[in-house]
Amino acid sequence: RLILTNFSFFTIPQDVSNTLAYTNLTAFLNLLNQANLTNFVDNLHRITIFVPNNAALASLSTTNITSGQILSLVYRHIVPDFLGYLPALKNGLTLTTLANTTITITVINGIYYANGVKIIDPDILTDNGVINVVDGVRNSHEVIIFKHSTYSL
């Protein structure tokens, strides 16, 4: 559904799973589906998801990954009870994820980072919150994994 607003169209926000499909963030959507988390995430309220882009998730070894490991990985990227649009993401802000880990926001020269991972596509609206696309993955060892390099926090 589209709404015409002052000579442009506004798409009514959809649930997380449809938004991930529409924005081609299929690797994260596949993780949700593999762990049977799609309905759960679609029905959370007031959430911020730091979704790794497809290239970042492709750098992970997902062979022999269990649904529990996927659950942990997904939960490390979801912040409940916080709408993390860029104006709300302030330098030094610390957020707690569903996995009870923290994400610290850093702003350097107007570029936003979540635990050192660059936010490359911010403020994608969903019907229950916001998605910020990042170019790295937080794994269970608190290591940020990039396509070509890694560093520990």
Side-chain angles (χ1 to χ4, degrees), residues 7-117:
F7 308 107
S8 64
F9 289 98
F10 175 77
T11 303
I12 296 174
Q14 300 294 310
D15 59 26
V16 170
S17 57
N18 282 315
T19 302
L20 290 171
Y22 181 76
T23 56
N24 197 33
L25 294 167
T26 53
F28 196 78
L29 178 59
N30 289 339
L31 289 177
L32 292 179
N33 289 331
Q34 284 179 298
N36 295 314
L37 290 172
T38 308
N39 287 333
F40 172 73
V41 173
D42 282 345
N43 290 298
L44 291 171
H45 298 284
R46 293 181 41 83
I47 62 171
T48 299
I49 308 176
F50 293 93
V51 174
N53 64 9
N54 291 340
L57 284 170
S59 70
L60 286 180
S61 172
T62 56
T63 50
N64 301 322
I65 191 169
T66 67
S67 60
Q69 290 168 318
I70 294 171
L71 178 111
S72 177
L73 178 70
V74 168
Y75 278 16
R76 290 177 185 287
H77 291 84
I78 300 175
V79 176
D81 301 318
F82 178 75
L83 296 176
Y85 303 100
L86 280 196
L89 298 178
K90 305 287 186 199
N91 192 45
L93 176 68
T94 300
L95 305 165
T96 302
T97 68
L98 285 177
N100 203 30
T101 59
T102 58
I103 294 176
T104 301
I105 302 301
T106 308
V107 183
I108 301 171
N109 296 323
I111 299 172
Y112 289 76
Y113 299 86
N115 279 5
V117 178

